Amino acid sequence: MGPTASKKSDLAIKLHEKLPFSYIVNYDSFQVYQELDKGSAKPSKEELSKGYYLLYDYLPLSQNNDVATFQKKGREVIDKYSKSNDLIFVGGTGLYIKAILFNYIFTKEEIKMDEDYKKDLSNIELYNELYNLDKEDALKIGVNNRKRLLRSLFINEVHKKSKSELNNNKKDELLYENTKFIYIKPPRDKLYEDINKRVDNMINSGLVDEVKYLFSKYDKNSNGLKAIGYKEFIPYLENKATLEETIELIKKNTRNYAKRQYTFFNNQFNSVEKLVYNDICEAINDIDNII
């Protein structure tokens, strides 16, 4: 585990080479989507065809993906393969791997949240209300993510319990004992430099043409097109932003996403031991110990 652009996938391949009867299993929420090739940083079609990759590139862009569904799929993979194969889970969507490996219980909402729910409240008012009800979740979400603030307040209203109370029910209980956690945690300045390079490489490899094709084929509100590296192109396609502005926005949003990943991986896996490395070179040099 680790933030985007920390080269986790490269380490997964090195581990697979050392563990020939292993599978590499994705837990990135957007690498599950078909056709998101240039901007999702998933392995190439040629690489994926080798047969030892699981949970990549299987979902049409027209379908929605959610953590509860992915939890089920991930556990099905474990049940099917783990008795005779090593499984190398790799990705950046921390909640997905937390949900798979730990006793993470999701509650289905019986009442759909109305579109006008608390629409008259500002973000800071929503944040303050949630802070009084569920300080832990409010601090985790922050004041700018209106959608998540509304969802947390709605969950509290429906269940008469905070989201933290619902999720804290044994959520740190590891269900699979024979699990090793490897955390690639680069210095932030080095990571941000690598993020900028990755975005430039995506542009040079044809991301703009891919985006134009996908937005001509699918509705711009399709779940898969909400990924960083795709959603930022909407103003550009509407002639409201230049390509240079779009590229800088992708870099900025990716860096902000990396910050959130740091926070999640730093705080959500304290119940287990982790092997922590500053970069994958350190991890590769220690690969025999990892195995």
Side-chain angles (χ1 to χ4, degrees), residues 153-207:
L153 287 168
F154 181 72
I155 287 172
N156 189 286
E157 190 172 303
V158 171
H159 295 285
K160 310 305 178 188
K161 285 185 178 181
S162 70
K163 197 171 88 174
S164 294
E165 286 177 304
L166 292 168
N167 281 341
N168 279 335
N169 180 25
K170 297 185 177 181
K171 73 173 186 178
D172 290 323
E173 177 188 351
L174 183 64
L175 298 178
Y176 304 94
E177 293 182 0
N178 191 21
T179 305
K180 183 166 287 190
F181 293 84
I182 306 161
Y183 183 15
I184 309 301
K185 189 181 180 183
R188 294 202 182 204
D189 55 348
K190 177 63 168 64
L191 181 70
Y192 294 167
E193 180 183 330
D194 288 341
I195 285 172
N196 292 340
K197 289 179 181 177
R198 173 188 274 189
V199 173
D200 289 336
N201 289 338
M202 288 175 175
I203 296 296
N204 293 333
S205 69
L207 177 59

